[in-house]
C-alpha cells in the first residue's frame, strides 16, 4: 500500500503482506491492561483505559490511505482505490464522515471531492488541504503530485469547486508512472507556527513550484514546509528514506517514524527532526555517520505511516503529551515516550493500539481519536477492505466544541489558552481572519502572561507573529529576555525569511553562549537563516565533540544511536554552508576551530575553497593537519550531480557514499594534481592512505588503486525444478486444507532451519545481515508477517509482489538478457542476482531496456514435497526471524 517498503520482505514475501498482523509481543500479554476486540473490523487490542468502536467500514471508506479530523469532529478520509501500484486514475476521493448525534457512529457522509492517490489531509475551517497525485486527462498518466486546497464555505459537505494548487510537481512523474505512489510525497500536518509540514518520500522531486513561482528540487526524502497560502516553500530537513507523516508538539519539536530499505541496513527509525539537519540516507548513514544527526532508535523491520503528537487534556495523563506513531507493517500504533536530552531527546517506545495495517490517525477538539486501517486492501486498493475506528478515554463524555466562526475574540482567546492543541491551532487560524488590531492584542496578552502554561504562551506568540509579520519583531524580541521563552522567540523572529530585515544579529550571537542547549541550537539555525556572513566566526567557535570520528574502513557507523553532543556542531556546519562562509572557514584552518571549518568545507564546492585548502596544505608543517586537508580535498574531488528527476536510486541503493551520482567539476583537476603529487612522494604506507581515500570517496583515480570490486560468492546450488515436482502432503492438498492444518501444527524450528536450505530458499534469500544480499531479505520476516501470512506467501507467490522485490528483466548491449532481483543499484551500475544465486554487474550505460515482471521469480510448488509437519516447521522457523 502506501509507501510500503518493509525492511524485509522476503520472498516468500514477495508476495502477500496483507491481512492483520498478529505479533506475539510480550508487551501485549497483560490482560489487565489490554482489551481485545470481539469481532473485526476493529482494533484487535488496546489499553483498558480506552474505549474503541468501529466507526466506518469499507462500504463508505474502502482502502483508506489517510485521514484528518476537523476540530469540530468531521472526519475526512482519503480513499485510495489506486493504491501504491495502481496506475489508473479516477479511483480516489475524499469522503466526509459526520457523527451528528455524537454517539460514536457515523450517520452522515458525503463525497467531499475527487482526488487520486490522496496521501495527506488537513481540515482547517472552510479549507481542506490535500496532497495527492495528479493525472493528465488526455494521457491518463501521472504528471506529479500537488498540494492543493479545497473550500467548502457553505459547509454542505461538498467542495465548492475545483481545488486550488499550492505546490505543483512535488514528486517525480516518471516514477509515479512506472512504480506508483509508495515512495512519493506523503503526509501533511500544520504546526502552531502556521507552516504546513510535508513528508517527502525518497523519490524526491524536481522543479516543484509554489504559488509565488519559486521552484525547488530535492534529491531524496525529508521534510519540506510551506505557508498555507502556498508561498515560502523551503526544505526543513533532508536525508530520510521514505517517511509518511510527522508528529509536531506544542513547541515545534518534530518527530517521525521511517521505513526500512528491505534488508539493506536501514530499519525503521524514530527520529527527532531538527531544522536544517541532515539524516544521511542513503549515502551517509553507513560510512559517514560522523556527518549526520542519528536517529533516536533503530526499531527493526516495519513501515511507519501516520503520526500524531497527542496533546489533549481530555486524555489520560498516561497517554497524553506523547508522539503516537503508526506502523503499517506491524499493524500497530506505538507511543514513543520522549525525554529531553540537551537539544534533542531520548525515547522509550511501547505498543499502544493494534490495528490491521494502520495508515493514519488524527484527533478532534473534543478528544475523539480516529484511526484508519488498510486491512489487507492490497497494493492496488480493494473495495471490500478498510475501515475507521474511534478511540476515546473510558471516562470521556462528549462536550460540544466551540464554533470558531461564530466565536467572539474573547472566546477565541479562551481556546488559545486551552489544554487542547487542536483547539489552540483552530483558534489561531480563525484569529488570523479577524481584525488585525484586536487579534494581535489578545494574542500578545497571552504570550506575555507568565501565569499561563508554556504551550499557551507559545501559541499566543506564534499567533501574534503571524498577524503582525515584520512589524511584530520588536515585541517578540522582548520575550528573548525571559529564560522560558527565549528559544521560541528566537525561532519566531527568524522563521520567515521575508521578515528578517530588521532582526538583529546580536541576539542570536548572544544565544550561542546561552546556558540552554536548545537556545544555542535555535540561535545557530537562526544565524543561518539570517544570511549574514559576519556570523561565521561565531559559528566556527562551536565545539566539536570527541564523538566526531569517521567509521573505520568497511565498518558501519552508529547511525541510530542518540548523540546529543553532535547536534550543535552539525547545525553550525549547516549554517556555515548556508552562508557559503568559504573565506571564514579557510581562514580557520590550522586554528583551534580547524575541525569544524574542515567539516564545513567538505560541502563547499567552490574554487575559492579548493584554492584555500591547497594553500593551507602547502603552508602547514603539521602532518596531522595536512592529512586532514588532504581528506577534505579528496572529498571535494567529486560532487553530487544536479538532480533532474530522470532517475531514482531504487529500494536498495548503493549506500557507500559520500555521493550517489558523483561527477567531477571545475576544480577537480587542481585537486587531482596536488593529490597525485603527494601520492608520488609517498612510501608504501602513504600510498595506502591515498588508496583508502580513493575507495572511501570514490574518486576513481586509477593510479591510486583501492577501488572496490563486486564479486560473487559461491552459493548453494539447488535444483528447484526437482524440488517442486516432488509430491508430498502439501502438494496433494488444497491450499485451504494446508492453511487449516498449519493452524493446528506448531512445527519444529530446528527442522525448519534445515528445510530452509533443503527446499532451495537459501538460493534466493539471506537470513543474516552478514550474508551476501541476494533476493528479498528474510532476517526480519517474523517482524511483519505471522505464520498464516508466511504460509500463504509460499503457497501463492504471485498473489502480490512487494515493491523492490519484483523480478526484473534487463536487456543489455550485445544481445544479453538478465533476469533476477536487483540487489544493489547506483548511478553507474546495477547488481543483479538470478534464481540460481549467480551474481551479475551491469553497467547502466549498457542497459537497453528494463522491465519489472508481474509474476514472482519464486517458483510455485517449492513446498509440494513437504509433509504438514515439515511445512509447519519451515514457517515456524521463518516466523522467528525478527532480527
Amino acid at each position: 500500500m502506501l509507501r510500503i517498503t518493509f525492511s524485509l520482505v522476503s520472498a516468500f514475501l514477495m508476495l502477500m503482506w496483507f491481512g492483520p498482523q498478529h505479533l506475539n509481543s510480550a508487551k501485549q500479554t497483560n490482560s489487565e491492561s489490554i482489551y481485545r476486540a470481539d469481532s473485526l473490523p476493529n482494533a484487535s487490542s488496546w489499553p483498558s483505559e480506552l474505549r474503541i468502536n468501529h466507526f466506518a467500514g469499507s462500504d463508505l471508506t474502502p482502502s483508506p490511505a489517510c485521514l484528518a479530523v476537523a476540530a469540530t469532529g468531521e472526519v475526512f478520509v482519503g480513499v485510495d482505490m489506486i493504491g501504491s501500484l495502481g496506475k489508473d486514475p479516477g479511483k480516489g476521493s475524499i469522503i466526509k464522515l459526520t457523527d451528528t448525534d455524537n454517539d460514536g457512529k457515523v450517520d452522515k457522509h458525503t463525497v467531499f471531492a475527487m482526488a487520486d492517490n490522496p496521501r495527506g489531509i488537513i481540515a482547517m475551517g472552510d479549507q481542506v488541504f490535500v496532497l495527492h497525485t495528479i493525472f493528465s486527462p488526455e494521457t491518463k498518466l501521472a504528471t506529479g503530485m500537488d498540494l492543493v486546497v479545497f473550500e467548502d464555505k457553505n459547509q454542505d459537505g461538498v467542495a465548492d469547486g475545483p481545488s486550488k494548487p499550492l505546490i505543483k510537481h512535488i514528486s517525480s512523474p516518471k516514477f509515479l508512472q512506472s512504480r506508483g505512489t509508495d515512495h512519493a510525497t506523503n503526509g501533511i500536518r500544520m504546526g502552531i507556527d502556521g507552516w504546513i509540514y510535508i513528508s517527502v518520500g525518497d523519490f524526491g522531486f524536481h522543479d516543484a513550484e509554489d504559488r509565488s513561482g519559486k521552484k525547488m528540487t530535492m534529491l531524496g526524502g525529508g521534510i519540506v514546509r510551506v505557508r498555507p497560502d502556498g508561498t515560502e516553500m523551503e526544505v526543513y530537513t533532508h536525508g530520510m528514506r521514505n517517511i509518511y507523516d510527522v508528529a509536531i508538539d506544542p513547541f515545534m519539536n518534530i518527530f517521525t517514524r521511517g521505513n526500512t530499505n528491505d534488508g539493506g541496513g536501514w530499519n525503521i527509525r524514530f527520529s527527532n527532526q531538527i531544522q536544517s539537519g541532515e539524516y544521511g540516507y542513503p549515502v551517509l548513514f553507513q560510512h559517514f555517520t560522523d556527518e549526520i544527526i542519528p536517529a533516536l532508535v533503530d526499531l527493526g523491520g516495519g513501515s511507519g505511516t501516520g503520526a500524531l503528537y497527542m496533546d489533549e487534556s481530555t486524555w489520560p495523563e498516561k497517554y497524553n503529551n506523547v508522539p503516537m506513531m503508526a506502523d503499517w507493517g506491524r499493524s500497530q500504533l506505538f507511543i514513543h515516550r520522549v525525554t529531553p536530552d540537551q537539544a534533542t531527546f531520548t525515547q522509550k517506545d511501547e505498543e499502544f493500539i493494534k490495528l490491521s495495517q494502520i495508515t493514519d490517525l488524527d484527533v478532534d477538539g473534543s478528544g475523539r481519536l480516529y484511526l484508519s486501517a488498510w486491512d489487507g486492501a492490497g497494493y492496488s486498493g480493494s473495495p471490500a477492505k478498510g475501515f475507521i475506528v474511534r478511540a476515546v478515554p473510558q471516562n470521556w463524555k462528549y462536550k460540544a466544541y466551540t464554533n470558531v466562526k461564530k466565536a467572539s475574540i474573547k472566546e477565541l482567546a479562551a481556546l488559545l489558552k486551552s489544554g487542547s492543541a487542536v483547539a489552540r491551532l483552530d483558534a489561531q487560524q480563525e484569529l488570523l481572519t479577524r481584525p488585525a488590531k484586536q487579534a494581535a492584542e489578545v494574542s500578545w496578552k497571552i504570550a506575555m502572561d507568565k501565569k499561563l502554561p508554556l504551550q499557551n504562551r507559545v501559541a499566543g506568540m506564534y499567533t501574534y507573529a503571524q498577524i503582525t509579520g515584520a512589524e511584530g519583531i520588536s515585541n517578540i524580541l522582548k520575550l528573548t529576555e525571559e529564560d522560558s521563552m527565549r528559544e521560541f522567540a528566537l525561532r519566531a523572529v527568524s522563521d520567515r525569511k521575508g521578515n528578517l530585515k530588521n532582526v538583529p544579529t546580536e541576539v542570536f550571537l548572544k544565544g550561542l553562549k546561552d546556558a540552554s542547549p536548545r537556545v544555542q541550537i535555535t540561535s545557530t539555525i537562526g544565524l543561518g537563516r539570517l544570511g549574514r556572513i559576519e556570523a561565521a566566526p561565531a559559528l566556527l567557535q562551536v565545539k566539536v565533540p570527541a564523538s566526531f570520528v569517521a567509521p573505520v574502513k568497511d565498518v558501519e557507523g552508529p547511525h541510530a544511536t542518540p548523540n546529543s553532543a553532535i547536534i550543535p556542531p552539525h547545525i553550525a556546519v549547516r549554517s556555515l554552508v548556508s552562508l557559503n562562509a568559504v573565506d571564514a572557514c579557510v581562514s580557520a584552518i590550522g586554528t583551534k576551530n580547524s575541525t569544524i571549518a574542515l567539516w564545513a568545507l567538505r560541502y563547499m564546492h567552490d574554487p575559492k575553497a579548493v584554492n584555500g585548502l591547497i594553500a593551507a596544505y602547502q603552508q602547514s608543517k603539521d602532518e596531522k593537519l595536512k592529512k586532514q586537508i588532504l581528506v577534505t580535498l579528496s572529498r571535494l574531488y567529486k560532487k553530487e550531480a544536479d538532480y533532474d528527476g530522470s532517475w531514482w536510486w531504487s529500494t536498495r541503493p548503493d549506500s557507500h557514499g559520500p555521493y550517489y551520482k558523483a561527477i567531477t567539476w571545475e576544480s577537480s583537476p587542481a585537486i587531482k594534481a596536488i593529490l597525485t603529487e603527494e601520492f608520488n612522494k609517498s612510501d608504501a604506507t602513504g600510498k595506502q592512505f591515498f588508496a583508502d581515500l580513493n575507495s572511501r570517496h570514490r574518486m576513481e583515480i586509477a593510479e591510486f588503486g583501492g577501488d572496490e570490486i563486486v564479486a560473487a560468492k559461491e552459493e548453494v546450488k539447488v535444483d528447484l525444478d526437482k524440488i517442486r515436482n516432488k509430491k508430498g502432503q502439501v502438494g496433494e492438498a488444497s491450499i485451504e486444507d494446508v492453511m487449516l492444518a498449519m493452524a493446528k501444527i506448531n512445527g519444529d524450528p530446528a527442522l525448519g532451519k534445515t528445510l530452509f536450505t533443503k527446499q532451495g530458499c537459501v538460493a534466493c534469500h539471506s537470513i543474516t545481515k552478514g550474508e551476501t544480499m541476494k533476493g528479498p531479505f528474510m532476517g526480519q520476516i517474523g517482524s511483519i508477517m505471522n505464520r498464516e501470512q508466511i504460509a500463504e506467501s509460499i503457497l501463492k507467490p504471485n498473489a502480490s509482489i512487494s515493491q523492490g522485490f519484483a523480478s526484473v528483466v534487463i536487456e543489455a548491449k550485445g544481445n544479453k538478457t538478465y533476469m533476477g532481483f536487483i540487489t544493489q543499484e547506483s548511478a553507474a551500475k546495477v547488481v543483479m542476482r538470478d534464481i540460481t544465486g549467480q551474481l551479475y554487474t551491469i553497467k547502466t550505460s549498457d542497459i537497453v531496456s528494463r522491465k519489472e515482471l508481474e509474476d514472482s521469480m519464486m517458483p510455485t510448488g517449492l513446498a509440494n514435497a513437504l509433509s504438514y509437519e515439515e511445512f509447519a516447521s519451515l514457517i515456524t522457523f521463518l516466523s522467528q526471524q525478527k532480527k
Side-chain angles (χ1 to χ4, degrees):
M1 76 133 298
L2 324 165
R3 43 182 216 308
I4 315 174
T5 334
F6 301 151
S7 88
L8 8 181
V9 201
S10 154
F12 297 160
L13 243 38
M14 277 187 312
L15 18 163
M16 201 24 253
W17 300 38
F18 298 101
Q21 313 281 330
H22 297 293
L23 306 181
N24 296 319
S25 169
K27 297 178 182 177
Q28 295 251 335
T29 59
N30 184 345
S31 61
E32 295 182 0
S33 63
I34 298 296
Y35 275 20
R36 298 190 181 278
D38 294 328
S39 62
L40 292 177
N42 202 340
S44 56
S45 64
W46 61 87
S48 60
E49 293 93 339
L50 303 183
R51 285 186 282 130
I52 294 186
N53 64 274
H54 176 73
F55 187 72
S58 59
D59 56 329
L60 298 181
T61 58
S63 307
C66 56
L67 63 75
V69 188
T72 45
E74 295 82 9
V75 183
F76 294 82
V77 180
V79 169
D80 182 14
M81 297 294 293
I82 299 177
S84 65
L85 292 183
K87 308 293 192 301
D88 299 326
K91 297 180 179 179
S93 60
I94 308 300
I95 305 298
K96 181 179 180 180
L97 308 175
T98 307
D99 176 8
T100 57
D101 57 5
N102 303 298
D103 66 349
K105 300 176 183 177
V106 60
D107 42 40
K108 181 180 179 181
H109 72 278
T110 56
V111 178
F112 179 80
M114 301 303 294
D116 282 316
N117 277 140
R119 280 296 179 269
I121 308 173
I122 298 170
M124 187 63 62
D126 295 337
Q127 295 184 312
V128 177
F129 300 88
V130 179
L131 179 73
H132 72 107
T133 304
I134 304 296
F135 287 83
S136 165
E138 293 77 28
T139 66
K140 309 299 182 185
L141 296 176
T143 59
M145 295 187 82
D146 288 1
L147 173 65
V148 304
V149 62
F150 294 95
E151 289 189 332
D152 181 16
K153 290 189 178 297
N154 61 6
Q155 291 295 300
D156 65 350
V158 178
D160 295 338
S163 64
K164 178 174 67 178
L166 301 181
I167 299 179
K168 296 179 179 180
H169 314 306
I170 197 165
S171 190
S172 168
K174 178 174 181 178
F175 303 103
L176 291 170
Q177 292 171 13
S178 63
R179 293 179 52 91
T181 311
D182 75 329
H183 283 257
T185 305
N186 301 298
I188 55 177
R189 196 166 285 279
M190 186 181 289
I192 197 66
D193 59 356
W195 290 87
I196 293 175
Y197 289 81
I198 306 168
S199 301
V200 179
D202 58 340
F203 278 169
F205 53 83
H206 177 258
D207 273 354
E209 183 176 355
D210 74 7
R211 288 197 72 209
S212 71
K214 177 181 180 180
K215 290 187 176 182
M216 193 167 73
T217 293
M218 188 165 84
L219 170 60
I223 298 173
V224 166
R225 67 178 188 171
V226 69
R227 301 306 298 180
D229 65 355
T231 63
E232 303 179 50
M233 172 178 61
E234 62 181 33
V235 174
Y236 188 78
T237 61
H238 180 261
M240 300 303 295
R241 180 176 185 269
N242 197 24
I243 56 174
Y244 199 77
D245 203 0
V246 294
I248 308 175
D249 80 1
F251 309 111
M252 292 310 305
N253 296 301
I254 298 180
F255 305 95
T256 192
R257 185 182 180 97
N259 270 251
T260 65
N261 72 336
D262 314 310
W266 179 277
N267 290 323
I268 310 169
R269 280 113 198 281
F270 176 71
S271 299
N272 174 208
Q273 297 284 297
I274 298 174
Q275 188 172 9
S276 77
E278 170 59 54
Y279 290 78
Y281 186 85
V283 294
L284 302 178
F285 84 93
Q286 286 187 325
H287 306 302
F288 297 84
T289 49
D290 51 324
E291 301 181 31
I292 69 172
I293 296 180
L296 301 184
V297 64
D298 181 323
L299 293 161
S303 178
T305 45
L308 168 73
Y309 190 92
M310 177 62 78
D311 179 25
E312 299 297 318
S313 55
T314 52
W315 272 65
E317 182 178 352
K318 182 178 180 181
Y319 302 116
N320 200 24
N321 299 307
V322 289
M324 295 181 174
M325 299 283 169
D327 194 294
W328 187 94
R330 296 187 179 184
S331 291
Q332 185 75 52
L333 179 64
F334 289 87
I335 280 176
H336 292 265
R337 301 197 182 277
V338 292
T339 302
D341 176 23
Q342 300 295 308
T344 182
F345 299 86
T346 56
Q347 72 85 49
K348 185 176 181 182
D349 54 285
E350 60 188 61
E351 295 179 358
F352 183 41
I353 297 173
K354 196 162 187 62
L355 197 67
S356 179
Q357 293 180 330
I358 179 172
T359 56
D360 208 356
L361 67 157
D362 203 8
V363 66
D364 72 7
S366 298
R368 292 174 288 193
L369 177 68
Y370 293 87
L371 307 95
S372 55
W374 192 250
D375 191 34
Y379 283 108
S380 298
S382 167
K385 294 287 186 178
F387 59 89
I388 311 297
V389 299
R390 187 196 76 160
V392 294
Q394 283 286 1
N395 61 355
W396 180 89
K397 291 183 180 180
Y398 174 72
K399 183 177 180 180
Y401 181 79
T402 303
N403 183 337
V404 296
K405 290 295 180 186
K406 298 179 180 179
S408 66
I409 293 280
K410 184 177 180 180
E411 289 171 322
L412 292 174
L415 284 178
L416 206 56
K417 292 188 284 186
S418 77
S420 164
V422 171
R424 295 194 295 270
L425 181 60
D426 193 36
Q428 176 196 80
Q429 293 300 302
E430 178 61 26
L431 279 167
L432 300 182
T433 70
R434 300 300 179 90
K437 184 177 179 180
Q438 291 176 284
E441 183 179 326
V442 298
S443 302
W444 182 245
K445 186 176 179 180
I446 292 170
M448 291 293 288
D449 190 346
K450 296 181 181 180
K451 295 179 181 179
L452 287 174
L454 192 58
Q455 60 265 34
N456 299 108
R457 298 187 66 192
V458 169
M461 179 200 68
Y462 274 121
T463 307
Y464 178 81
Q466 292 174 68
I467 295 167
T468 60
E471 294 179 1
I473 296 295
S474 58
N475 257 351
I476 297 175
L477 284 170
K478 295 176 184 177
L479 292 173
T480 64
E481 298 170 9
E482 279 189 57
D483 290 347
S484 62
M485 288 293 290
R486 187 173 300 122
E487 169 194 348
F488 314 111
L490 287 171
R491 175 166 174 150
V493 297
S494 60
D495 200 37
R496 300 180 68 176
K497 290 188 174 181
N499 296 339
L500 299 180
K501 183 178 179 180
N502 296 319
V503 177
T505 308
E506 291 73 22
V507 69
F508 291 91
L509 294 175
K510 183 179 178 182
L512 288 180
K513 300 177 181 179
D514 196 271
S516 165
R518 299 186 63 86
V519 171
Q520 294 170 24
I521 291 297
T522 304
S523 300
T524 306
I525 295 167
L527 288 170
R529 296 182 65 76
L530 289 177
R532 297 168 191 162
I533 195 65
E534 62 267 26
L539 291 169
L540 284 162
Q541 293 177 38
V542 175
K543 301 301 180 186
V544 179
S547 59
F548 179 68
V549 178
V552 299
K553 185 179 180 182
D554 300 325
V555 173
E556 190 171 292
H559 41 69
T561 303
N563 183 3
S564 58
I566 204 65
I567 293 174
H570 178 100
I571 298 299
V573 165
R574 303 317 305 168
S575 289
L576 286 164
V577 174
S578 177
L579 294 172
N580 193 32
V582 175
D583 292 337
C585 289
V586 168
S587 296
I589 297 173
T591 72
K592 62 180 181 179
N593 302 323
S594 185
T595 299
I596 194 169
L598 290 170
W599 181 358
L601 283 164
R602 296 178 189 183
Y603 317 114
M604 296 181 182
H605 287 83
D606 186 312
K608 287 198 304 179
V610 172
N611 294 338
L613 284 161
I614 292 173
Y617 180 82
Q618 293 170 337
Q619 294 166 13
S620 177
K621 299 186 182 303
D622 183 334
E623 291 303 319
K624 182 178 179 181
L625 175 61
K626 294 181 74 170
K627 184 173 284 191
Q628 291 171 340
I629 294 172
L630 290 177
V631 170
T632 307
L633 282 167
S634 70
R635 175 65 173 272
L636 290 171
Y637 179 68
K638 287 190 175 181
K639 69 174 186 177
E640 193 72 66
D642 291 338
Y643 184 55
D644 62 6
S646 67
W647 54 273
W648 177 58
W649 46 48
S650 82
T651 57
R652 281 198 202 158
D654 178 352
S655 56
H656 181 284
Y659 309 108
Y660 183 77
K661 193 171 185 179
I663 58 171
T664 54
W665 60 291
E666 62 180 293
S667 289
S668 296
I671 295 172
K672 183 176 181 180
I674 189 168
L675 293 179
T676 302
E677 179 182 349
E678 297 306 309
F679 172 81
N680 291 333
K681 294 178 184 176
S682 300
D683 58 15
T685 301
K687 284 182 167 55
Q688 185 60 50
F689 168 73
F690 285 94
D692 291 343
L693 281 183
N694 205 28
S695 294
R696 178 171 172 77
H697 293 152
R698 291 193 166 178
M699 294 187 288
E700 297 180 308
I701 298 176
E703 51 265 47
F704 291 0
D707 288 335
E708 295 179 344
I709 299 173
V710 177
K713 289 186 177 181
E714 246 348 276
E715 301 295 335
V716 177
K717 301 298 182 182
V718 292
D719 187 337
L720 297 179
D721 284 333
K722 183 177 180 181
I723 290 171
R724 67 178 180 170
N725 288 330
K726 292 176 66 177
K727 292 293 182 286
Q729 281 179 294
V730 172
E732 293 173 354
S734 68
I735 288 179
E736 290 78 7
D737 287 341
V738 174
M739 298 300 287
L740 287 171
M742 293 306 99
K744 299 177 181 178
I745 303 172
N746 292 326
D748 176 7
L751 173 60
K753 184 176 182 179
T754 300
L755 289 166
F756 184 77
T757 298
K758 181 180 176 182
Q759 294 308 117
C761 313
V762 71
C764 298
H765 307 288
S766 53
I767 287 289
T768 65
K769 291 180 181 177
E771 296 178 69
T772 300
M773 286 302 296
K774 308 174 186 177
F777 178 61
M778 300 194 68
Q780 294 169 315
I781 181 175
S783 296
I784 56 170
M785 296 179 74
N786 59 29
R787 291 180 77 254
E788 180 181 275
Q789 292 168 318
I790 293 171
E792 186 176 13
S793 68
I794 297 171
L795 298 171
K796 298 193 297 181
N798 292 319
S800 179
I801 302 174
S802 171
Q803 287 240 16
F805 300 116
S807 306
V808 175
V809 172
I810 290 178
E811 302 287 342
K813 293 177 182 178
N815 292 320
K816 295 179 180 178
T817 302
Y818 305 88
M819 183 174 76
F821 305 109
I822 302 298
T823 62
Q824 190 182 88
E825 186 166 356
S826 72
K829 65 186 178 184
V830 170
V831 182
M832 171 183 280
R833 190 176 295 276
D834 68 15
I835 191 70
T836 69
Q838 184 65 42
L839 191 72
Y840 301 95
T841 299
I842 308 159
K843 293 181 178 178
T844 53
S845 58
D846 289 343
I847 294 176
V848 176
S849 67
R850 171 176 170 168
K851 181 180 180 181
E852 288 189 358
L853 300 181
E854 295 183 0
D855 293 336
S856 168
M857 198 168 73
M858 174 182 166
T860 58
L862 291 185
N864 283 354
L866 301 181
S867 67
Y868 284 164
E869 180 68 32
E870 289 173 324
F871 189 43
S873 298
L874 177 59
I875 63 175
T876 296
F877 166 69
L878 291 171
S879 71
Q880 293 178 354
Q881 304 310 303
K882 300 180 181 182
K883 301 180 182 68

